[in-house]
Amino acid sequence: MKNSFWWVGLVLFFFLLDFMPSHAQVSIRGKVTSNGRPIGGVRVDLRRDSTSLFLAYTFTDSEGQYQLRTEHTGKMALHLKALGYEPTVREIELGQADMKIDVALVAGGVERLQEIVIHAKRPYKLSRDTIELNVQSYLQGEERTVEDLLRKIPGLNVGEDGSIKVGDKEVEKVMIEGDDFFEKGYRLLTQNMSVKPLDKVQVLQRYSNNKHLKGIENSDKVALNLQLKEDSKSQWLGSVSASGTLTKPMFYQGNVSLMNFGKKNKYYLLGSANNNGVDAVSSINNLLYSGQADEPGQIGAGVNTPTLIDYTPDLPGFDYKRTNFNRDRLLSFNTILNPTKQLKVKWLGFVNPTKKTFYQNRVQQYNIADIQFTNTEVDELNKRIDNYFSKWELQYDIGKRSTLSYNGSIGSLEKQDTHNLLFNGSSTKELTRTKGYLTNHNLSYTYKLSDREALVSSARWIKQGSPLDYSIDRYYYEDLFQVGGISEVSQHVENNLQYLGFTSHYVRKQKGGDFMEVAFVNEYKDQELTTDFVLQADDKTGIHPSGFSNQVGLVTNNTSIISKYTMKRRKWEWTPQFHAGFVHSGFRTYGAIRNRNNWLLSPRLSTKWEIHSKGKLEAEFSLKQTNTELMDVIPNYYSTGIRQFVKGLDDMATLTSSGALLTYTHGNMLDRFFANLSVGYQTMFDYISSQSMINPNFNLAAQVLLKNKKRTFYKTQLNYYLKPVNGNFKLDIGADFSDYQANVVGVGERKIHTGSLDYGLSFRSVWKSRFNLHTGYRMQMTTFSSERKNRLKNTYGFLNMFVNVTKGIQANLNNEAYRFGDFFAETSKTYYFSDFSLSYDAKKIKTRFEISAKNIFNTRQFKNAVITETYQAVTEYRLLPRYVALGVDYSF
């Protein structure tokens, strides 16, 4: 609770700080009129009275109002100029207090000015919904890809996984010349496309994915649009790059990117292959399961088969590339065609046969009352992924006010995980195989009834199958099943889904800015899951232990009505929303059917208050009801790994929660000071927890329904450009606290309090010199409290330096340091990493030559510590060794 009060105080401090008068800045405001009528477009200059030194300027708005801010004091002069009026100068004496100065202009003066041509470079251009950034203003010389550039732009936050956010909102898409290839899979573009053809980056605010809803939809979405240089349009361009080592160990990377972005047709071809840890297919899933939630006409977003077994390593806060012993290959062909003015055709195709290997040693320590033991694992995980995926979209403009669009996709998804595992000294081989398929089709029709209202209707069909075969060639469960003579354990899973949904949205914007949305939704979902757990005896017979196999199905038919109304009153905005749904559910277990009918009610109220021109306060209050999903109701146990068994509630239930969120935003990404502060609280009146039976060789986790889980969270982002040092400071602070219950057999009910705190401070220079740097520090602290309090503290620091040695020659040195607190009585250790590159850009032949050294200190192991409600663990990962590579990059 002390932490909670401290964080609330911090948020309020920053919030109140915005209202306190600053001793460094003085505001000058007023109104400009002529004969009692306000005059817009008057230029107001602030100058030193004695030297005529220009200090600041602005223009009056349509009501004749203006406002200037300055840090200077003393004698000043306001110069006011407008066509058709006599120039006016007002002498003023500025002190520490704000001033209000109204000015009346006299008609006359010059009626027409001679033409003046001004050549000036500005890093940005601001319009109502678009921020246009000049690419050249943010280049420092070492940028290769679009992502490298976006990391340099203040206000854009590029995550370790390549996701892009403006403030706390992830961008919807990254387009090229107004057309989108990859939707939320934009990493395939930003991480591979060369930065050289770019001229502008546009940040599109209040973005609408449906062009007919622009100006109607009450949207707060953000998208990016990349504009190309004129000499890069309507012609083939691209890049070919290759790098590799000359001595063992052998590492290589190759990329081919070919594109042509014309007015009518666009083509983008991508080929990639590497074994140096780079994940070439990180955003494929964003294409497989695409769809925009909370948008008129959208339905079926996030519908897919559940995952039962997933061995993807979790490396929070650590560079995934250093542990990824891989052989990635990707081939992608993408095109957008405009055969006629009315018809647009988009097609995407991907092939990515991939192999990955992870080496890890894990020590898990359980210490709950009388349950005390330690498990050790020495693990080599080999993953093979073969995905073949194709997606197409047809968009036909029936008229100026109506569009019919269809998009469909089909994919073959194959994966095999092989574990060579030494578990508590016993050697075993664990194998997981899945060969699934996915097809997804959506038909949508938009009719713009008038300039202020539209109707959007959609229908979607999804079919997916994810069969799975799992096996272990050793028997660890004799204490559990009381059966001997077992040589192998296996589990076969059939996992199928069919979905059909329909929705129709009516949206309308009133003249005063009020917005109304009414929607009708009907969704039908049929899921089938069969799990067959078998003990293979030495005599090759199969034993099916009771309570460890399932044959279930869940059919739901949800009919909903959604209504939303936004009221705008000057600087206030109120949006009450109500979602009412009637759900018919049928739960099948081995032929027996249990039916259930219930209502789901989810009201929500959100509000926005524009406190002043720079500050905006937003609040949201909600009550939400959802029904349990398929994996929540499974009656018997199924295996999720070598020692993990899970089962559901064996019954359907409704989960109710409420929440509140308060957010304050100051400025925007172009301001010297840009801040986003939020605090939230959530109560889960019904939540699913677990009752666990813990044993060194197995863990049985039965889901149970409990009451009243509490969660509080805080988040702060501050960006400040400090002019004296010509650099941007960024402060990120986050905290999350939860209180809930869980049960352990033999221990009973456990009250658990979890807390996490992380903060980071970084500085990026924008010096107009040969040298620039990016440095920062981050701390993460996690606590679990029950019978005792466990605490883990991790820190991370980095210093990246870039030097323009001479014309065409650049050097990069990237340094990282990771440190973990004391854990398992081990002395804390710091891990150092350093990468260096030296490149020469031969612009005449459009070729860049590079020599790079990775992992200079040759750090071969890395330990990562985690704590959970039941155990503490330290995992040691094997890392790619030090190597030196030569590379060449040719652009055309």
Side-chain angles (χ1 to χ4, degrees):
M1 289 302 296
K2 291 181 179 179
N3 287 336
S4 299
F5 285 120
W6 187 84
W7 276 100
V8 170
L10 180 64
V11 172
L12 292 176
F13 169 77
F14 282 112
F15 177 74
L16 293 174
L17 188 65
D18 188 64
F19 295 97
M20 296 172 62
S22 171
H23 71 277
Q25 281 201 340
V26 177
S27 173
I28 307 168
R29 61 185 179 87
K31 185 174 184 178
V32 180
T33 60
S34 179
N35 294 326
R37 293 182 292 104
I39 307 174
V42 179
R43 180 183 173 104
V44 184
D45 295 345
L46 179 65
R47 301 174 183 270
R48 279 286 188 190
D49 185 42
S50 58
T51 62
S52 294
L53 176 66
F54 176 83
L55 300 177
Y57 80 95
T58 188
F59 290 89
T60 60
D61 59 20
S62 59
E63 297 180 356
Q65 303 284 349
Y66 73 92
Q67 184 176 22
L68 288 167
R69 292 182 183 272
T70 181
E71 299 175 354
H72 302 275
T73 59
K75 292 184 178 181
M76 306 283 174
L78 279 180
H79 293 250
L80 295 93
K81 295 182 181 180
L83 289 177
Y85 297 92
E86 294 285 353
T88 301
V89 179
R90 293 287 298 271
E91 295 181 356
I92 59 176
E93 179 80 23
L94 278 183
Q96 298 297 326
D98 294 346
M99 299 184 68
K100 182 179 181 182
I101 302 173
D102 295 332
V103 181
L105 298 184
V106 178
V110 180
E111 295 293 336
R112 183 175 181 180
L113 296 176
Q114 294 181 348
E115 182 180 4
I116 299 175
V117 179
I118 300 175
H119 298 280
K121 290 186 177 180
R122 298 182 65 189
Y124 66 87
K125 179 181 178 182
L126 180 64
S127 62
R128 183 176 181 271
D129 291 333
T130 303
I131 300 172
E132 186 174 271
L133 307 169
N134 189 342
V135 168
Q136 292 299 319
S137 300
Y138 298 94
L139 293 178
Q140 293 179 326
E142 82 275 27
E143 300 82 9
R144 304 291 193 272
T145 65
V146 172
E147 183 178 288
D148 295 335
L149 166 69
L150 299 180
R151 291 184 183 275
K152 300 293 181 67
I153 300 176
L156 288 184
N157 302 311
V158 182
E160 294 177 357
D161 61 350
S163 60
I164 305 169
K165 291 185 177 181
V166 179
D168 62 343
K169 292 184 175 65
E170 184 178 356
V171 302
E172 296 292 304
K173 57 184 66 173
V174 178
M175 299 178 287
I176 303 175
E177 293 292 328
D179 277 319
D180 168 45
F181 276 105
F182 304 115
E183 298 177 355
K184 281 291 180 70
Y186 53 74
R187 298 165 186 79
L188 288 168
L189 177 72
T190 57
Q191 294 177 347
N192 291 283
M193 181 178 174
S194 171
V195 74
K196 290 185 177 181
L198 293 192
D199 183 36
K200 301 284 194 306
V201 174
Q202 292 180 327
V203 181
L204 309 178
Q205 303 175 103
R206 291 182 281 275
Y207 179 76
S208 294
N209 286 292
N210 190 326
K211 64 182 180 181
H212 291 298
L213 301 184
K214 179 67 175 176
I216 300 177
E217 182 185 6
N218 196 21
S219 171
D220 60 355
K221 297 182 177 69
V222 181
L224 299 184
N225 181 46
L226 308 179
Q227 289 192 328
L228 306 179
K229 299 173 182 176
E230 286 299 325
D231 58 359
S232 298
K233 298 178 182 178
S234 300
Q235 63 174 312
W236 288 99
L237 56 113
S239 63
V240 179
S241 64
S243 65
T245 57
L246 301 180
T247 59
K248 292 184 178 180
M250 302 300 293
F251 292 101
Y252 65 87
Q253 181 174 357
N255 290 83
V256 178
S257 179
L258 184 62
M259 60 198 78
N260 187 317
F261 303 118
K263 291 184 177 180
K264 293 188 65 177
N265 303 324
K266 294 178 173 64
Y267 305 92
Y268 184 72
L269 292 83
L270 175 65
S272 176
N274 78 86
N275 74 337
N276 63 352
V278 176
D279 192 349
V281 294
S282 59
S283 59
I284 288 291
N285 283 345
N286 293 285
L287 289 169
L288 295 176
Y289 310 112
S290 62
Q292 307 293 335
D294 193 25
E295 181 176 309
Q298 286 293 329
I299 194 170
V303 174
N304 55 72
T305 55
T307 300
L308 274 69
I309 301 177
D310 186 6
Y311 285 115
T312 303
D314 185 16
L315 286 167
F318 184 69
D319 190 351
Y320 174 81
K321 296 190 293 295
R322 298 191 186 277
T323 68
N324 186 22
F325 292 79
N326 69 319
R327 194 183 73 179
D328 279 17
R329 289 172 290 173
L330 169 67
L331 183 62
S332 172
F333 176 76
N334 317 281
T335 182
I336 298 176
L337 307 175
N338 291 269
T340 67
K341 291 183 178 181
Q342 293 79 26
L343 179 63
K344 177 181 289 188
V345 181
K346 181 167 71 173
W347 185 82
L348 304 97
F350 295 90
V351 178
N352 68 294
T354 299
K355 291 183 179 180
K356 300 177 183 292
T357 302
F358 299 93
Y359 302 91
Q360 57 189 20
N361 303 331
R362 181 182 295 112
V363 179
Q364 289 182 318
Q365 187 182 76
Y366 291 80
N367 189 0
I368 307 172
D370 295 333
I371 303 175
Q372 298 182 17
F373 61 88
T374 299
N375 279 339
T376 62
E377 298 178 11
V378 179
D379 184 12
E380 176 186 321
L381 169 62
N382 295 284
K383 298 176 71 70
R384 192 190 74 194
I385 302 171
D386 290 292
N387 288 338
Y388 302 89
F389 174 73
S390 180
K391 183 175 182 177
W392 54 93
E393 181 178 332
L394 304 175
Q395 191 176 98
Y396 181 70
D397 292 332
I398 301 174
K400 292 183 178 180
R401 292 182 174 273
S402 59
T403 298
L404 181 66
S405 62
Y406 161 77
N407 62 73
S409 62
I410 187 169
S412 173
L413 315 174
E414 183 175 353
K415 182 172 68 173
Q416 177 174 303
D417 293 346
T418 303
H419 270 210
N420 295 312
L421 182 65
L422 191 66
F423 179 67
N424 289 338
S426 299
S427 177
T428 186
K429 187 173 184 179
E430 191 178 16
L431 183 64
T432 306
R433 296 176 179 172
T434 180
K435 187 173 183 180
Y437 65 90
L438 168 69
T439 183
N440 189 331
H441 304 270
N442 185 73
L443 183 65
S444 179
Y445 175 70
T446 303
Y447 182 66
K448 194 171 183 179
L449 301 169
S450 69
D451 292 341
R452 296 184 177 275
E453 56 183 343
L455 183 67
V456 187
S457 300
S458 300
R460 184 184 292 271
W461 174 61
I462 300 172
K463 186 175 182 180
Q464 184 178 0
S466 304
L468 182 145
D469 285 290
Y470 172 77
S471 63
I472 315 171
D473 66 354
R474 196 175 186 94
Y475 182 51
Y476 292 97
Y477 313 124
E478 189 167 351
D479 290 345
L480 177 62
F481 298 118
Q482 302 297 313
V483 176
I486 303 300
S487 60
E488 184 177 300
V489 176
S490 66
Q491 178 178 254
H492 176 71
V493 177
E494 290 292 332
N495 188 4
N496 299 310
L497 162 74
Q498 283 210 71
Y499 169 89
L500 182 63
F502 170 80
T503 185
S504 187
H505 279 68
Y506 171 78
V507 292
R508 180 178 180 178
K509 175 163 283 190
Q510 310 284 7
K511 289 184 178 180
D514 287 5
F515 173 80
M516 180 179 69
E517 178 180 345
V518 179
F520 172 81
V521 180
N522 185 266
E523 297 177 285
Y524 174 84
K525 183 164 62 173
D526 186 354
Q527 292 178 274
E528 294 181 347
L529 180 69
T530 300
T531 67
D532 187 15
F533 188 79
V534 182
L535 308 178
Q536 299 289 345
D538 294 335
D539 60 4
K540 303 303 180 183
T541 60
I543 300 173
H544 301 260
S546 176
F548 284 81
S549 293
N550 294 276
Q551 185 177 333
V552 300
L554 181 63
V555 177
T556 59
N557 192 345
N558 183 0
T559 302
S560 303
I561 295 178
I562 304 171
S563 62
K564 181 193 299 185
Y565 192 87
T566 300
M567 296 171 286
K568 290 189 176 183
R569 299 297 181 267
R570 293 187 178 181
K571 296 184 178 182
W572 281 95
E573 181 178 308
W574 296 86
T575 305
Q577 178 177 329
F578 187 71
H579 184 161
F582 180 78
V583 185
H584 170 75
S585 304
F587 179 38
R588 305 188 303 270
T589 55
Y590 292 99
I593 300 178
R594 281 177 275 176
N595 293 315
R596 182 172 184 258
N597 298 320
N598 70 297
W599 285 91
L600 296 178
L601 305 177
S602 299
R604 184 172 67 182
L605 174 66
S606 59
T607 181
K608 298 178 182 179
W609 176 29
E610 187 177 337
I611 302 172
H612 52 80
S613 59
K614 294 290 185 180
K616 181 174 65 175
L617 187 66
E618 299 178 66
E620 181 178 298
F621 309 92
S622 64
L623 178 70
K624 186 176 182 180
Q625 289 186 315
T626 60
N627 280 348
T628 46
E629 296 290 340
L630 175 66
M631 304 308 293
D632 301 324
V633 299
I634 292 179
N636 298 320
Y637 286 104
Y638 60 93
S639 175
T640 64
I642 189 169
R643 61 182 298 271
Q644 301 294 328
F645 295 90
V646 180
K647 76 170 184 176
L649 302 172
D650 192 19
D651 200 4
M652 296 174 284
T654 299
L655 309 179
T656 305
S657 64
S658 68
L661 178 66
L662 181 66
T663 303
Y664 174 70
T665 304
H666 180 95
N668 59 58
M669 60 180 293
L670 296 180
D671 290 329
R672 288 179 58 187
F673 179 62
F674 176 36
N676 188 282
L677 302 91
S678 60
V679 55
Y681 182 79
Q682 186 179 24
T683 299
M684 301 177 190
F685 302 108
D686 315 283
Y687 69 98
I688 295 176
S689 186
S690 64
Q691 177 175 295
S692 301
M693 177 184 291
I694 299 175
N695 182 281
N697 289 329
F698 59 85
N699 180 18
L700 302 181
Q703 295 182 348
V704 293
L705 194 63
L706 298 179
K707 300 286 186 181
N708 296 326
K709 179 178 180 178
K710 312 289 186 181
R711 179 183 174 226
T712 307
F713 55 93
Y714 313 91
K715 188 174 182 181
T716 298
Q717 281 188 343
L718 305 176
N719 290 270
Y720 185 69
Y721 176 78
L722 190 60
K723 194 171 182 180
V725 296
N726 285 332
N728 190 73
F729 286 90
K730 181 180 177 182
L731 177 65
D732 286 286
I733 302 175
D736 201 315
F737 305 97
S738 295
D739 290 282
Y740 61 97
Q741 296 177 358
N743 294 325
V744 174
V745 175
V747 177
E749 181 181 287
R750 305 173 66 217
K751 294 183 178 180
I752 298 173
H753 173 78
T754 68
S756 67
L757 167 67
D758 64 87
Y759 69 82
L761 178 65
S762 64
F763 170 77
R764 187 188 292 274
S765 69
V766 286
W767 300 330
K768 295 183 179 179
S769 66
R770 293 185 177 183
F771 176 74
N772 273 282
L773 63 85
H774 182 208
T775 185
Y777 174 84
R778 186 173 70 229
M779 187 276 286
Q780 297 174 316
M781 187 164 60
T782 307
T783 59
F784 273 83
S785 301
S786 186
E787 299 86 3
R788 62 182 58 85
K789 184 175 182 179
N790 295 317
R791 175 179 170 182
L792 174 66
K793 179 181 177 182
N794 301 333
T795 62
Y796 166 68
F798 67 92
L799 173 61
N800 302 330
M801 296 179 287
F802 169 73
V803 181
N804 252 319
V805 181
T806 186
K807 186 177 182 180
I809 299 179
Q810 299 93 30
N812 269 299
L813 180 62
N814 299 328
N815 305 284
E816 296 177 312
Y818 298 85
R819 184 180 181 87
F820 296 105
D822 295 339
F823 205 67
F824 280 11
E826 294 185 7
T827 304
S828 59
K829 183 178 179 179
T830 303
Y831 298 86
Y832 296 98
F833 299 93
S834 188
D835 302 324
F836 175 76
S837 67
L838 181 68
S839 64
Y840 171 65
D841 194 354
K843 293 186 177 180
K844 288 186 178 181
I845 58 175
K846 300 180 179 180
T847 304
R848 185 193 297 263
F849 302 93
E850 183 178 74
I851 180 171
S852 61
K854 302 293 185 181
N855 194 7
I856 294 174
F857 300 122
N858 201 28
T859 305
R860 298 305 309 275
Q861 287 85 28
F862 173 80
K863 285 186 178 180
N864 187 20
V866 298
I867 56 177
T868 72
E869 64 186 50
T870 55
Y871 66 85
Q872 308 168 5
V874 171
T875 304
E876 182 181 80
Y877 300 91
R878 190 188 303 180
L879 306 180
L880 271 67
R882 174 177 56 214
Y883 67 89
V884 177
L886 299 177
V888 60
D889 186 342
Y890 172 66
S891 300
F892 56 91

